[in-house]
mmCIF file of all heavy atoms in Angstrom:
data_model
loop_
_atom_site.group_PDB
_atom_site.id
_atom_site.type_symbol
_atom_site.label_atom_id
_atom_site.label_comp_id
_atom_site.label_asym_id
_atom_site.label_seq_id
_atom_site.Cartn_x
_atom_site.Cartn_y
_atom_site.Cartn_z
ATOM 1 N N ALA A 539 4.989 16.494 -1.115
ATOM 2 C CA ALA A 539 4.216 15.545 -0.298
ATOM 3 C C ALA A 539 5.079 14.339 0.075
ATOM 4 O O ALA A 539 5.020 13.855 1.213
ATOM 5 C CB ALA A 539 2.965 15.095 -1.050
ATOM 6 N N ILE A 540 5.868 13.880 -0.869
ATOM 7 C CA ILE A 540 6.763 12.748 -0.579
ATOM 8 C C ILE A 540 7.781 13.156 0.477
ATOM 9 O O ILE A 540 8.046 12.408 1.415
ATOM 10 C CB ILE A 540 7.446 12.257 -1.870
ATOM 11 C CG1 ILE A 540 6.398 11.638 -2.805
ATOM 12 C CG2 ILE A 540 8.548 11.244 -1.552
ATOM 13 C CD1 ILE A 540 6.901 11.319 -4.205
ATOM 14 N N SER A 541 8.334 14.351 0.347
ATOM 15 C CA SER A 541 9.299 14.830 1.335
ATOM 16 C C SER A 541 8.672 14.931 2.721
ATOM 17 O O SER A 541 9.287 14.544 3.716
ATOM 18 C CB SER A 541 9.854 16.192 0.903
ATOM 19 O OG SER A 541 10.812 16.647 1.821
ATOM 20 N N ALA A 542 7.446 15.435 2.766
ATOM 21 C CA ALA A 542 6.763 15.559 4.064
ATOM 22 C C ALA A 542 6.529 14.190 4.705
ATOM 23 O O ALA A 542 6.538 14.069 5.930
ATOM 24 C CB ALA A 542 5.430 16.286 3.876
ATOM 25 N N GLY A 543 6.353 13.173 3.895
ATOM 26 C CA GLY A 543 6.118 11.825 4.413
ATOM 27 C C GLY A 543 7.352 10.949 4.426
ATOM 28 O O GLY A 543 7.257 9.735 4.655
ATOM 29 N N PHE A 544 8.517 11.536 4.200
ATOM 30 C CA PHE A 544 9.763 10.785 4.060
ATOM 31 C C PHE A 544 9.984 9.817 5.230
ATOM 32 O O PHE A 544 10.247 8.628 5.012
ATOM 33 C CB PHE A 544 10.938 11.751 3.941
ATOM 34 C CG PHE A 544 12.246 11.100 3.584
ATOM 35 C CD1 PHE A 544 12.660 11.054 2.263
ATOM 36 C CD2 PHE A 544 13.070 10.558 4.551
ATOM 37 C CE1 PHE A 544 13.871 10.463 1.912
ATOM 38 C CE2 PHE A 544 14.270 9.964 4.224
ATOM 39 C CZ PHE A 544 14.681 9.913 2.903
ATOM 40 N N ALA A 545 9.896 10.302 6.445
ATOM 41 C CA ALA A 545 10.159 9.458 7.617
ATOM 42 C C ALA A 545 9.159 8.311 7.715
ATOM 43 O O ALA A 545 9.526 7.191 8.082
ATOM 44 C CB ALA A 545 10.134 10.298 8.894
ATOM 45 N N LYS A 546 7.909 8.586 7.379
ATOM 46 C CA LYS A 546 6.893 7.528 7.426
ATOM 47 C C LYS A 546 7.154 6.478 6.351
ATOM 48 O O LYS A 546 7.027 5.279 6.615
ATOM 49 C CB LYS A 546 5.499 8.128 7.262
ATOM 50 C CG LYS A 546 5.081 8.959 8.460
ATOM 51 C CD LYS A 546 3.710 9.558 8.269
ATOM 52 C CE LYS A 546 3.378 10.457 9.467
ATOM 53 N NZ LYS A 546 2.094 11.125 9.306
ATOM 54 N N PHE A 547 7.519 6.933 5.144
ATOM 55 C CA PHE A 547 7.851 5.968 4.089
ATOM 56 C C PHE A 547 9.050 5.118 4.514
ATOM 57 O O PHE A 547 9.060 3.902 4.322
ATOM 58 C CB PHE A 547 8.141 6.669 2.758
ATOM 59 C CG PHE A 547 6.912 7.158 2.049
ATOM 60 C CD1 PHE A 547 6.747 8.504 1.777
ATOM 61 C CD2 PHE A 547 5.925 6.263 1.633
ATOM 62 C CE1 PHE A 547 5.612 8.955 1.104
ATOM 63 C CE2 PHE A 547 4.792 6.704 0.968
ATOM 64 C CZ PHE A 547 4.626 8.060 0.701
ATOM 65 N N ALA A 548 10.057 5.741 5.104
ATOM 66 C CA ALA A 548 11.245 5.014 5.555
ATOM 67 C C ALA A 548 10.885 3.985 6.625
ATOM 68 O O ALA A 548 11.401 2.866 6.621
ATOM 69 C CB ALA A 548 12.292 5.988 6.083
ATOM 70 N N ALA A 549 9.985 4.355 7.531
ATOM 71 C CA ALA A 549 9.585 3.439 8.597
ATOM 72 C C ALA A 549 8.837 2.227 8.038
ATOM 73 O O ALA A 549 9.041 1.094 8.500
ATOM 74 C CB ALA A 549 8.723 4.163 9.626
ATOM 75 N N VAL A 550 7.989 2.457 7.062
ATOM 76 C CA VAL A 550 7.168 1.375 6.514
ATOM 77 C C VAL A 550 7.945 0.541 5.494
ATOM 78 O O VAL A 550 7.873 -0.695 5.512
ATOM 79 C CB VAL A 550 5.876 1.941 5.866
ATOM 80 C CG1 VAL A 550 5.112 0.871 5.125
ATOM 81 C CG2 VAL A 550 5.007 2.597 6.923
ATOM 82 N N LEU A 551 8.688 1.201 4.615
ATOM 83 C CA LEU A 551 9.365 0.499 3.522
ATOM 84 C C LEU A 551 10.751 -0.014 3.898
ATOM 85 O O LEU A 551 11.246 -0.956 3.289
ATOM 86 C CB LEU A 551 9.488 1.430 2.311
ATOM 87 C CG LEU A 551 8.178 1.934 1.717
ATOM 88 C CD1 LEU A 551 8.447 3.029 0.691
ATOM 89 C CD2 LEU A 551 7.385 0.794 1.105
ATOM 90 N N GLY A 552 11.360 0.636 4.889
ATOM 91 C CA GLY A 552 12.728 0.297 5.277
ATOM 92 C C GLY A 552 13.703 1.260 4.621
ATOM 93 O O GLY A 552 13.615 1.506 3.416
ATOM 94 N N VAL A 553 14.612 1.792 5.390
ATOM 95 C CA VAL A 553 15.523 2.836 4.917
ATOM 96 C C VAL A 553 16.334 2.387 3.705
ATOM 97 O O VAL A 553 16.548 3.155 2.782
ATOM 98 C CB VAL A 553 16.476 3.294 6.055
ATOM 99 C CG1 VAL A 553 17.507 4.279 5.560
ATOM 100 C CG2 VAL A 553 15.685 3.876 7.198
ATOM 101 N N GLY A 554 16.757 1.149 3.667
ATOM 102 C CA GLY A 554 17.589 0.666 2.576
ATOM 103 C C GLY A 554 16.834 0.020 1.434
ATOM 104 O O GLY A 554 17.455 -0.493 0.501
ATOM 105 N N SER A 555 15.526 0.067 1.473
ATOM 106 C CA SER A 555 14.738 -0.598 0.433
ATOM 107 C C SER A 555 14.858 0.125 -0.899
ATOM 108 O O SER A 555 15.087 1.336 -0.954
ATOM 109 C CB SER A 555 13.268 -0.674 0.846
ATOM 110 O OG SER A 555 12.686 0.612 0.817
ATOM 111 N N ASP A 556 14.693 -0.626 -1.980
ATOM 112 C CA ASP A 556 14.743 -0.019 -3.311
ATOM 113 C C ASP A 556 13.689 1.072 -3.472
ATOM 114 O O ASP A 556 13.912 2.067 -4.153
ATOM 115 C CB ASP A 556 14.551 -1.071 -4.394
ATOM 116 C CG ASP A 556 15.777 -1.949 -4.579
ATOM 117 O OD1 ASP A 556 16.884 -1.541 -4.157
ATOM 118 O OD2 ASP A 556 15.630 -3.038 -5.144
ATOM 119 N N GLU A 557 12.531 0.892 -2.847
ATOM 120 C CA GLU A 557 11.451 1.868 -2.967
ATOM 121 C C GLU A 557 11.849 3.238 -2.428
ATOM 122 O O GLU A 557 11.340 4.256 -2.887
ATOM 123 C CB GLU A 557 10.195 1.381 -2.241
ATOM 124 C CG GLU A 557 9.517 0.203 -2.898
ATOM 125 C CD GLU A 557 10.119 -1.150 -2.528
ATOM 126 O OE1 GLU A 557 11.070 -1.199 -1.709
ATOM 127 O OE2 GLU A 557 9.640 -2.161 -3.069
ATOM 128 N N MET A 558 12.761 3.269 -1.476
ATOM 129 C CA MET A 558 13.196 4.555 -0.931
ATOM 130 C C MET A 558 13.925 5.387 -1.978
ATOM 131 O O MET A 558 14.052 6.606 -1.836
ATOM 132 C CB MET A 558 14.078 4.360 0.301
ATOM 133 C CG MET A 558 13.298 3.992 1.555
ATOM 134 S SD MET A 558 12.060 5.224 2.007
ATOM 135 C CE MET A 558 13.089 6.614 2.464
ATOM 136 N N GLY A 559 14.347 4.765 -3.058
ATOM 137 C CA GLY A 559 14.952 5.508 -4.157
ATOM 138 C C GLY A 559 14.012 6.583 -4.678
ATOM 139 O O GLY A 559 14.455 7.675 -5.054
ATOM 140 N N ILE A 560 12.724 6.289 -4.677
ATOM 141 C CA ILE A 560 11.740 7.280 -5.123
ATOM 142 C C ILE A 560 11.737 8.476 -4.174
ATOM 143 O O ILE A 560 11.692 9.623 -4.626
ATOM 144 C CB ILE A 560 10.339 6.641 -5.227
ATOM 145 C CG1 ILE A 560 10.335 5.549 -6.301
ATOM 146 C CG2 ILE A 560 9.273 7.699 -5.523
ATOM 147 C CD1 ILE A 560 9.062 4.722 -6.346
ATOM 148 N N CYS A 561 11.794 8.207 -2.883
ATOM 149 C CA CYS A 561 11.839 9.303 -1.906
ATOM 150 C C CYS A 561 13.090 10.153 -2.110
ATOM 151 O O CYS A 561 13.026 11.387 -2.079
ATOM 152 C CB CYS A 561 11.822 8.747 -0.488
ATOM 153 S SG CYS A 561 10.273 7.957 -0.016
ATOM 154 N N TYR A 562 14.211 9.488 -2.330
ATOM 155 C CA TYR A 562 15.452 10.228 -2.543
ATOM 156 C C TYR A 562 15.400 11.034 -3.840
ATOM 157 O O TYR A 562 15.883 12.172 -3.891
ATOM 158 C CB TYR A 562 16.651 9.284 -2.537
ATOM 159 C CG TYR A 562 17.003 8.781 -1.164
ATOM 160 C CD1 TYR A 562 17.052 7.423 -0.877
ATOM 161 C CD2 TYR A 562 17.307 9.672 -0.132
ATOM 162 C CE1 TYR A 562 17.390 6.960 0.387
ATOM 163 C CE2 TYR A 562 17.645 9.220 1.139
ATOM 164 C CZ TYR A 562 17.686 7.866 1.391
ATOM 165 O OH TYR A 562 18.019 7.418 2.652
ATOM 166 N N MET A 563 14.816 10.476 -4.892
ATOM 167 C CA MET A 563 14.704 11.231 -6.142
ATOM 168 C C MET A 563 13.828 12.465 -5.958
ATOM 169 O O MET A 563 14.106 13.520 -6.530
ATOM 170 C CB MET A 563 14.182 10.336 -7.268
ATOM 171 C CG MET A 563 15.238 9.338 -7.723
ATOM 172 S SD MET A 563 14.814 8.403 -9.206
ATOM 173 C CE MET A 563 13.423 7.451 -8.667
ATOM 174 N N SER A 564 12.786 12.358 -5.137
ATOM 175 C CA SER A 564 11.956 13.538 -4.854
ATOM 176 C C SER A 564 12.764 14.611 -4.137
ATOM 177 O O SER A 564 12.628 15.801 -4.431
ATOM 178 C CB SER A 564 10.729 13.144 -4.023
ATOM 179 O OG SER A 564 9.806 12.453 -4.818
ATOM 180 N N GLU A 565 13.595 14.193 -3.197
ATOM 181 C CA GLU A 565 14.439 15.161 -2.484
ATOM 182 C C GLU A 565 15.416 15.829 -3.452
ATOM 183 O O GLU A 565 15.648 17.041 -3.378
ATOM 184 C CB GLU A 565 15.201 14.476 -1.352
ATOM 185 C CG GLU A 565 14.327 13.964 -0.232
ATOM 186 C CD GLU A 565 13.586 15.039 0.538
ATOM 187 O OE1 GLU A 565 14.021 16.216 0.552
ATOM 188 O OE2 GLU A 565 12.549 14.706 1.144
ATOM 189 N N ILE A 566 15.965 15.053 -4.376
ATOM 190 C CA ILE A 566 16.870 15.613 -5.379
ATOM 191 C C ILE A 566 16.122 16.609 -6.255
ATOM 192 O O ILE A 566 16.620 17.703 -6.541
ATOM 193 C CB ILE A 566 17.507 14.481 -6.219
ATOM 194 C CG1 ILE A 566 18.448 13.637 -5.354
ATOM 195 C CG2 ILE A 566 18.246 15.059 -7.427
ATOM 196 C CD1 ILE A 566 18.889 12.334 -5.999
ATOM 197 N N ASN A 567 14.916 16.245 -6.681
ATOM 198 C CA ASN A 567 14.111 17.154 -7.510
ATOM 199 C C ASN A 567 13.881 18.478 -6.794
ATOM 200 O O ASN A 567 14.013 19.560 -7.386
ATOM 201 C CB ASN A 567 12.764 16.524 -7.859
ATOM 202 C CG ASN A 567 12.893 15.368 -8.822
ATOM 203 O OD1 ASN A 567 13.898 15.198 -9.493
ATOM 204 N ND2 ASN A 567 11.856 14.543 -8.874
ATOM 205 N N LEU A 568 13.534 18.400 -5.529
ATOM 206 C CA LEU A 568 13.313 19.627 -4.754
ATOM 207 C C LEU A 568 14.601 20.446 -4.671
ATOM 208 O O LEU A 568 14.570 21.676 -4.789
ATOM 209 C CB LEU A 568 12.789 19.291 -3.353
ATOM 210 C CG LEU A 568 11.359 18.753 -3.290
ATOM 211 C CD1 LEU A 568 11.049 18.239 -1.889
ATOM 212 C CD2 LEU A 568 10.355 19.818 -3.709
ATOM 213 N N GLY A 569 15.710 19.776 -4.461
ATOM 214 C CA GLY A 569 16.988 20.471 -4.391
ATOM 215 C C GLY A 569 17.344 21.157 -5.689
ATOM 216 O O GLY A 569 17.843 22.282 -5.704
ATOM 217 N N MET A 570 17.065 20.494 -6.797
ATOM 218 C CA MET A 570 17.367 21.095 -8.103
ATOM 219 C C MET A 570 16.490 22.304 -8.366
ATOM 220 O O MET A 570 16.888 23.224 -9.082
ATOM 221 C CB MET A 570 17.207 20.049 -9.202
ATOM 222 C CG MET A 570 18.323 19.008 -9.149
ATOM 223 S SD MET A 570 18.171 17.673 -10.333
ATOM 224 C CE MET A 570 17.861 18.513 -11.847
ATOM 225 N N ASP A 571 15.309 22.312 -7.765
ATOM 226 C CA ASP A 571 14.399 23.460 -7.905
ATOM 227 C C ASP A 571 14.656 24.524 -6.844
ATOM 228 O O ASP A 571 13.921 25.505 -6.757
ATOM 229 C CB ASP A 571 12.948 22.994 -7.812
ATOM 230 C CG ASP A 571 12.508 22.187 -9.022
ATOM 231 O OD1 ASP A 571 13.151 22.300 -10.084
ATOM 232 O OD2 ASP A 571 11.519 21.434 -8.905
ATOM 233 N N GLY A 572 15.669 24.312 -6.000
ATOM 234 C CA GLY A 572 15.975 25.270 -4.946
ATOM 235 C C GLY A 572 14.955 25.274 -3.826
ATOM 236 O O GLY A 572 14.819 26.260 -3.100
ATOM 237 N N MET A 573 14.240 24.168 -3.665
ATOM 238 C CA MET A 573 13.165 24.098 -2.667
ATOM 239 C C MET A 573 13.433 23.082 -1.564
ATOM 240 O O MET A 573 12.552 22.783 -0.769
ATOM 241 C CB MET A 573 11.850 23.743 -3.374
ATOM 242 C CG MET A 573 11.420 24.764 -4.416
ATOM 243 S SD MET A 573 10.020 24.214 -5.419
ATOM 244 C CE MET A 573 8.812 23.761 -4.186
ATOM 245 N N SER A 574 14.631 22.546 -1.500
ATOM 246 C CA SER A 574 14.930 21.500 -0.523
ATOM 247 C C SER A 574 15.018 22.069 0.893
ATOM 248 O O SER A 574 15.687 23.069 1.130
ATOM 249 C CB SER A 574 16.248 20.810 -0.862
ATOM 250 O OG SER A 574 16.580 19.879 0.143
#
Side-chain angles (χ1 to χ4, degrees):
I540 293 171
S541 182
F544 189 95
K546 291 179 184 177
F547 284 120
V550 172
L551 299 170
V553 175
S555 70
D556 286 341
E557 291 83 2
M558 284 301 293
I560 296 172
C561 292
Y562 286 123
M563 288 189 295
S564 287
E565 294 296 337
I566 293 168
N567 290 342
L568 290 170
M570 289 176 49
D571 290 339
M573 299 171 53
S574 175

